Amino acid sequence: MRATPVSILEGDTFVVSDRRGDISISPEEAQGLFDGDTRFLSRWVLTVNGELPNSLSTDDINYFSSQFFLVPGTGTIYVDAPMSIVRQRAVGGGFHEDLKVTNHKAKPVDLDIRIEADADFADLFQVKDADFKRAGKFYKRVEGNRLVLGYQREKFVRETWITSSVPAEIDEKGFAFRVHLEPHAEWHAGLDVLAAVDGTDGAKRKPKYADVHDTPTPNVGMSLQRWMASAPQMHSSWTDLERIYERSLIDLAALRFFSRYTPGEALPAAGLPWFMALFGRDSIFTSFQALPFVPELASTTIRVLAMRQGTRVDDFRDEEPGKILHEARLGEMTAFEERPHSPYFGSADATPLFLVLMDELERWSGRHELIKKFEAEARAALRWIDEYGDRDGDGYVEYERRNKAAGTIENQCWKDSWDSIVFSDGSLAKAPIATCEIQGYVYDAKRRCARLAREFWGDSELANQLEKEATELKQKFNRDFWIPEKQFFALALDGQKRKVDSLTSNLGHLLWSGIVDKDKAEACANHLVGPHLFSGWGVRTMADNEGGYNPIGYHVGTVWPFDNSFVAEGLRNYGFKKEAARIALANLEAARYFQYRLPEAFAGYSRAETNFPVEYPTACSPQAWSAGASLLFLRTFLGLEPIGDRLLVDPAVPKQIEWIELLGIPGRWGRADAFGRGLVDV
Amino acid sequence: MPTAHEVFQLHRLQKFEPLLKGVRGTYLFEIERVGYWFISVRDGAISIEEVRRDADCTIGCDEADFIDIIEGRRNLITASMQGRVKIRGDITLAQKFHGLVSAMIESKKREAA
């Protein structure tokens, strides 16, 4: 079994290394120093007298720093080591590494310490696909005390600049230090590795942190300490919940970054390692989850997505006027239009969700100036729903990608893997596909925008029209998507308007959107906590008795905490407090097995079968909307809802948690407190 | 293929472009070995001067890339990512430049018609 890699991050810069702190390319592991979707180091290997040291221990000091305790030797049978080696690393714009070697013996020692360095400047897409064909040229040079590793394709230049704080022999392969250590003496060296874009350092002369013990300053315009202090204080009789809460807030701070598309506007990246980029859907969901806790996320998300809203019909990028982007990347393949991510618009749900978030932000914060400022963008998004989203005029938003090249997305909904939309017999649905939850989001967006139009845009005609359209959509949806013999809503309508009849967690999103007729809600709730969807750790993406079910299938059987948080909130919205609390508690209990950090997804095996939640092999961790899930679960437990200028608190806390206290919830009321006692028998 | 001088000359007389309604700011175009053009956009009203002046957003590139962008053959964002175009200052305004390009192309089409 391979050792868990060590990952540290700061914005869109991150390092993945082995347990020694070394970086090397292997088919199994995507290691490296990554910045702006490019790998700036693909080799970083420490040897002492020609040997790789062994790892004794590895610690994450902070989200951006780690330390590695090493000793020489084979490590097969431990004998007292004659020396110890400590590497401390802090990432940000590159990384800084402190190397300390201590001689524990009574005799002096001479050492040949080497750091081998190399960079393949691979685009993250190439790393992911293990495809390393390159169109440009590599070069290396030594400039005084600096080693420069470079790559150039036309005017596209990426360089890695490496310097040492102590004299070294530098060649194109790395750094060599001849070290003489007296008995019990120490030797130190500091190494700076800078990711230089276009062959310049920009404003960066040094990596962000010069020491692993520096004060963390995430991209939030404040220190981590202040960021944590600005969020509500959470106390609970269940101390695990406090740890999960703290972990979530730190992860959300760590995942914020300044995209080069949006300087000055920090917003959450989706997740480490593959999704350290701007994603429309992920940013929106995360911002929604975090609104009662760190409302700044929602306003930056709206501003950034509005700024990059689609303006034209562009088949390559799946762009249309008014559409909200799916994903923005910065690597070589995107720059040379070998991938369409500049940005790519391949999601059909981000646009209505953008509108939902706008309204939700105003409800919580009272920030109506944003609603007025982005009226034109909101109207453009509404037009997209009707003019482009509804491709065939049947009243539903459906998707079919126009760019079918590699790396584009077939299923443009949150379950975006190729096999996620399947019939009960396991056969694939064919495009154009109208998934059920997107219709729910559209319903919710129109209802919410009716309020915005009436209260802030002074357009009662639009408000009336949107309300009429939302009402008609709800009626039509409850007729066309409902499967009476199965008592649940179809996952989707396929290209031939057939009901895709698999039972899935999407029912919860429908409840969250409010599109479900009251007389159908109980059946949905029963399915969501029933034996086929509920694993004991959470709601599976697909029921275990479906033809497409796979407990370790990305969107066809795993449990996604983010998904569950909206399922629970949806149940709560329809009055199913007990069921909501049960799902929230199960997920939070699972977090204890993941170092109090909910991963992107975990396997759908039954709790009774495994007793612990089984990891999903390539799950991102941390991931923004999983960090946000625990926040939304807290909102669900406490029943937090803005009503005008007041905060309604209506707790439904499970008995397993004696009490929860949330102090200083920010909103249009200033700050408010909430308390919930565990009275619900789940 | 037109020159940068011809492109700016063509648009110098244009006083208003509806596609740029809502955009307010100033641009300086630095066309390598050709010259500098200062463009002020105020809610759709445009003025162009051949002068080097501090602007909210500076866009620098060679003449061939500039013409490719203006004529819609090259995307400003990916050109910037490729290192063909250097953008300094307010990048939001540079992104609005997409609108400016569209306006210029539309204007050209109208003139041709």
Side-chain angles (χ1 to χ4, degrees):
Chain A
M1 191 174 178
R2 63 190 163 87
T4 311
V6 178
S7 302
I8 49 175
L9 77 155
E10 165 70 43
D12 66 344
T13 310
F14 62 95
V15 179
V16 182
S17 71
D18 67 17
R19 309 296 291 176
R20 282 190 297 263
D22 285 345
I23 292 167
S24 54
I25 298 181
S26 75
E28 298 82 29
E29 208 68 70
Q31 296 180 354
L33 160 66
F34 297 88
D35 183 273
D37 301 325
T38 302
R39 180 154 63 187
F40 281 83
L41 270 185
S42 52
R43 185 167 181 79
W44 185 255
V45 175
L46 170 71
T47 56
V48 178
N49 293 338
E51 288 189 342
L52 296 172
N54 287 301
S55 170
L56 285 182
S57 175
T58 303
D59 291 322
D60 290 348
I61 300 171
N62 217 313
Y63 61 85
F64 67 85
S65 60
S66 56
Q67 54 188 350
F68 307 87
F69 296 90
L70 314 172
V71 290
T74 63
T76 48
I77 300 170
Y78 184 77
V79 290
D80 286 353
M83 75 183 82
S84 55
I85 304 155
V86 181
R87 303 170 87 170
Q88 294 185 317
R89 182 178 296 159
V91 66
F95 66 70
H96 173 83
E97 181 163 319
D98 280 317
L99 190 56
K100 183 175 83 175
V101 181
T102 308
N103 178 10
H104 297 305
K105 291 291 185 185
K107 292 179 181 174
V109 61
D110 289 295
L111 302 172
D112 175 15
I113 298 171
R114 280 197 67 85
I115 291 274
E116 287 177 30
D118 204 354
D120 64 1
F121 298 98
D123 187 306
L124 203 63
F125 287 130
Q126 293 171 309
V127 177
K128 201 174 176 182
D129 297 342
D131 168 15
F132 299 108
K133 290 190 289 289
R134 310 307 302 279
K137 288 183 178 163
F138 293 91
Y139 55 88
K140 296 175 182 178
R141 62 176 184 268
V142 177
E143 295 173 345
N145 73 336
R146 180 162 73 187
L147 170 61
V148 176
L149 310 171
Y151 174 77
Q152 180 160 13
R153 176 177 174 185
E154 300 173 19
K155 293 181 179 177
F156 177 92
V157 179
R158 297 291 181 268
E159 290 185 349
T160 307
W161 296 357
I162 311 169
T163 53
S164 163
S165 65
V166 297
E169 294 164 27
I170 308 174
D171 61 27
E172 292 186 352
K173 288 186 177 170
F175 290 67
F177 305 93
R178 314 285 173 205
V179 177
H180 176 80
L181 272 178
E182 291 298 324
H184 304 291
E186 284 182 357
W187 172 84
H188 296 261
L191 292 148
D192 281 339
V193 181
L194 197 65
V197 175
D198 293 336
T200 66
D201 61 0
K204 298 177 294 189
R205 289 275 163 192
K206 289 274 183 189
K208 182 170 177 178
Y209 298 104
D211 189 286
V212 292
H213 298 293
D214 273 355
T215 305
T217 50
N219 298 323
V220 291
M222 61 177 87
S223 71
L224 182 64
Q225 200 178 8
R226 276 188 58 210
W227 160 265
M228 297 297 284
S230 72
Q233 302 303 302
M234 202 281 284
H235 307 287
S236 173
S237 58
W238 187 30
T239 52
D240 286 348
L241 186 59
E242 294 180 341
R243 296 183 69 172
I244 295 165
Y245 179 68
E246 185 184 11
R247 181 81 257 168
S248 297
L249 289 176
I250 291 172
D251 284 346
L252 284 177
L255 285 165
R256 294 195 80 185
F257 78 113
F258 290 103
S259 162
R260 268 152 246 183
Y261 284 111
T262 58
E265 299 277 10
L267 75 169
L272 189 75
W274 303 117
F275 304 121
M276 290 308 297
L278 170 60
F279 281 78
R281 177 190 303 125
D282 295 59
S283 295
I284 293 168
F285 274 134
T286 304
S287 299
F288 188 99
Q289 292 167 318
L291 252 175
F293 303 87
V294 278
E296 303 88 343
L297 291 179
S299 48
T300 52
T301 294
I302 285 168
R303 269 200 295 272
V304 169
L305 295 180
M307 193 165 79
R308 299 297 298 125
Q309 188 174 33
T311 56
R312 57 189 177 158
V313 175
D314 177 348
D315 290 345
F316 178 61
R317 296 176 178 80
D318 256 329
E319 181 179 355
E320 284 148 355
K323 198 174 184 184
I324 296 299
L325 70 82
H326 172 64
E327 179 179 356
R329 292 287 186 175
L330 299 162
E332 180 186 351
M333 295 183 79
T334 302
F336 285 90
E337 304 192 2
E338 292 155 358
R339 293 288 172 108
H341 296 72
S342 53
Y344 178 49
F345 288 81
S347 66
D349 54 2
T351 308
L353 287 169
F354 169 79
L355 297 167
V356 170
L357 181 65
M358 272 183 87
D359 174 69
E360 190 71 0
L361 173 63
E362 199 287 328
R363 289 180 67 232
W364 278 87
S365 69
R367 295 195 58 185
H368 44 79
E369 81 281 0
L370 273 179
I371 305 305
K372 288 176 180 164
K373 184 174 178 186
F374 294 113
E375 177 185 340
E377 286 82 357
R379 286 175 182 266
L382 284 165
R383 278 196 300 277
W384 177 85
I385 288 171
D386 294 333
E387 292 175 19
Y388 295 95
D390 181 3
R391 298 161 53 94
D392 56 12
D394 68 346
Y396 298 123
V397 169
E398 49 269 301
Y399 56 77
E400 180 172 22
R401 62 181 170 168
R402 304 206 298 283
N403 180 352
K404 293 185 166 54
T408 59
I409 296 173
E410 214 166 322
N411 281 313
Q412 302 190 340
C413 53
W414 88 258
K415 293 178 177 175
D416 58 3
S417 44
W418 65 274
D419 62 349
S420 65
I421 310 300
V422 289
F423 288 89
S424 194
D425 64 4
S427 61
L428 284 174
K430 289 199 169 61
I433 292 171
T435 61
C436 63
E437 81 286 359
I438 296 178
Q439 317 318 317
Y441 304 154
V442 168
Y443 165 76
D444 198 19
K446 290 195 170 182
R447 216 172 35 140
R448 286 170 180 265
C449 284
R451 183 184 82 88
L452 300 181
R454 189 168 287 122
E455 293 186 19
F456 304 108
W457 303 335
D459 190 344
S460 54
E461 192 182 329
L462 175 64
N464 293 339
Q465 183 197 326
L466 289 171
E467 278 169 350
K468 180 170 170 285
E469 288 171 7
T471 303
E472 287 169 0
L473 175 59
K474 184 172 181 176
Q475 286 169 354
K476 192 171 145 59
F477 175 83
N478 278 271
R479 184 190 66 218
D480 295 349
F481 278 71
W482 185 248
I483 307 173
E485 63 276 21
K486 296 193 171 190
Q487 291 292 291
F488 59 76
F489 289 97
L491 166 59
L493 298 184
D494 75 352
Q496 297 173 315
K497 307 297 173 192
R498 293 181 304 169
K499 291 173 185 169
V500 181
D501 57 350
S502 290
L503 175 61
T504 62
S505 62
N506 300 44
L507 297 182
H509 287 242
L510 294 176
L511 293 173
W512 175 64
S513 74
I515 200 171
V516 176
D517 279 344
K518 278 194 177 153
D519 63 357
K520 297 184 173 72
E522 189 172 352
C524 293
N526 289 339
H527 281 299
L528 287 165
V529 293
H532 295 303
L533 273 178
F534 189 67
S535 76
W537 295 113
V539 178
R540 299 177 177 104
T541 40
M542 182 172 283
D544 67 358
N545 57 345
E546 293 296 348
Y549 173 74
N550 175 355
I552 44 172
Y554 199 44
H555 292 119
V556 288
T558 52
V559 174
W560 286 59
F562 124 79
D563 183 30
N564 276 252
S565 71
F566 285 92
V567 170
E569 183 67 3
L571 284 163
R572 180 74 220 223
N573 290 349
Y574 274 80
F576 299 102
K577 296 179 181 178
K578 180 178 154 182
E579 290 79 0
R582 186 176 174 200
I583 289 168
L585 179 66
N587 274 264
L588 292 165
E589 285 176 337
R592 296 178 305 177
Y593 295 88
F594 299 106
Q595 290 83 48
Y596 304 95
R597 172 188 274 162
L598 283 165
E600 178 186 30
F602 53 85
Y605 300 115
S606 156
R607 186 170 184 165
E609 190 184 337
T610 63
N611 290 321
F612 59 88
V614 175
E615 280 187 51
Y616 179 75
T618 59
C620 285
S621 186
Q623 197 188 40
W625 65 18
S626 296
S630 57
L631 305 185
L632 187 51
F633 286 138
L634 275 172
R635 175 177 170 178
T636 301
F637 277 150
L638 293 169
L640 305 179
E641 204 60 46
I643 305 289
D645 285 336
R646 289 183 301 154
L647 177 66
L648 174 70
V649 181
D650 179 19
V653 178
K655 275 184 177 169
Q656 287 87 335
I657 305 172
E658 203 176 318
W659 54 268
I660 301 171
E661 181 181 73
L662 195 60
L663 305 177
I665 304 161
R668 56 199 306 159
W669 43 82
R671 294 267 177 177
D673 301 338
F675 182 84
R677 195 172 293 286
L679 299 171
V680 178
D681 195 354
V682 300
Chain B
M1 195 160 72
T3 65
H5 273 105
E6 287 166 351
V7 167
F8 285 113
Q9 190 61 36
L10 179 69
H11 294 285
R12 186 171 283 177
L13 298 176
Q14 189 182 356
K15 298 292 179 204
F16 184 78
E17 174 46 62
L19 285 173
L20 289 176
K21 206 164 182 305
V23 180
R24 295 169 77 88
T26 55
Y27 298 88
L28 179 69
F29 285 88
E30 295 180 345
I31 311 301
E32 288 168 22
R33 290 181 291 278
V34 177
Y36 298 87
W37 281 268
F38 180 84
I39 301 182
S40 170
V41 181
R42 298 190 75 77
D43 214 12
I46 304 169
S47 72
I48 301 177
E49 295 172 77
E50 191 174 350
V51 62
R52 185 178 189 176
R53 194 179 292 164
D54 285 345
D56 301 325
C57 175
T58 300
I59 298 173
C61 58
D62 68 26
E63 188 171 30
D65 284 335
F66 174 74
I67 298 299
D68 280 349
I69 290 166
I70 287 296
E71 300 205 328
R73 289 187 295 275
R74 197 178 279 287
N75 177 292
L76 175 69
I77 300 297
T78 51
S80 159
M81 291 166 72
Q82 287 177 27
R84 290 180 171 279
V85 177
K86 304 288 181 202
I87 301 172
R88 299 191 303 275
D90 186 344
I91 292 185
T92 310
L93 274 176
Q95 291 174 351
K96 299 283 185 190
F97 179 74
H98 272 304
L100 184 61
V101 169
S102 304
M104 286 178 162
I105 292 169
E106 287 304 312
S107 163
K108 199 172 172 183
K109 280 182 191 163
R110 278 199 302 270
E111 285 212 351

